[in-house]
Amino acid sequence: MYPSFYTTLPANLRNRLQRIALTARNKGLGLWPSDATNGNPLVRGLADLESIAIWPKLYRRLFAYFQSGKGSLTGFDRWLRADPKRDDELRIGSQARVGRIHDVVTVNQNRITMNFDPADLVIVPR
């Protein structure tokens, strides 16, 4: 199970699911051995994206980005920021603040890095 939580999920259930996901990841169970979310994966296009396991919200944004004809990650940050519907609002638990997807990812050439653990993020639905 990937931790991909929304504010509409009751906090007690979200906390329980977060603990389950973190326990599974720490034990290397399920998809976690192949998870590339925090591993700075190389993503040059759809072929690379479809061959890695990453946080579902990030996957969906990257998929839409490459589907729109983009050939590299160079403009991903600008593309996210151009539309608030793409640049989802998030609560970043460890910092007790609100941010957006562009705040939690860093692009360096064709590599993308999550700046926060996905289990620490709660998506604010539109």
Side-chain angles (χ1 to χ4, degrees):
M1 172 187 90
Y2 262 103
S4 194
F5 306 123
Y6 288 79
T7 56
T8 53
L9 185 66
N12 62 336
L13 182 55
R14 184 175 63 240
N15 293 337
R16 181 162 188 239
L17 292 171
Q18 181 185 46
R19 283 191 303 274
I20 292 168
L22 293 174
T23 298
R25 182 176 65 193
N26 291 338
K27 291 183 178 182
L29 302 174
L31 64 87
W32 295 111
S34 61
D35 175 49
T37 301
N38 294 318
N40 197 30
L42 179 65
V43 185
R44 296 166 295 203
L46 286 175
D48 288 335
L49 181 61
E50 292 173 350
S51 69
I52 59 174
I54 59 171
W55 185 50
K57 179 60 82 171
L58 180 57
Y59 178 92
R60 289 191 297 276
R61 292 299 171 261
L62 287 167
F63 187 86
Y65 174 76
F66 287 119
Q67 279 286 95
S68 73
K70 308 295 189 228
S72 75
L73 284 177
T74 304
F76 184 64
D77 183 74
R78 185 174 46 255
W79 179 85
L80 278 175
R81 291 172 189 251
D83 185 347
K85 292 180 181 176
R86 290 191 293 245
D87 197 11
D88 298 86
E89 185 176 337
L90 308 165
R91 291 192 181 147
I92 305 169
S94 63
Q95 294 191 346
R97 72 176 181 100
V98 174
R100 295 207 164 280
I101 289 192
H102 76 262
D103 295 315
V104 302
V105 297
T106 299
V107 173
N108 185 1
Q109 296 181 357
N110 282 317
R111 294 193 177 274
I112 192 158
T113 303
M114 292 282 297
N115 303 323
F116 297 91
D117 189 316
D120 193 34
L121 305 175
V122 181
I123 303 159
V124 178
R126 290 178 233 151

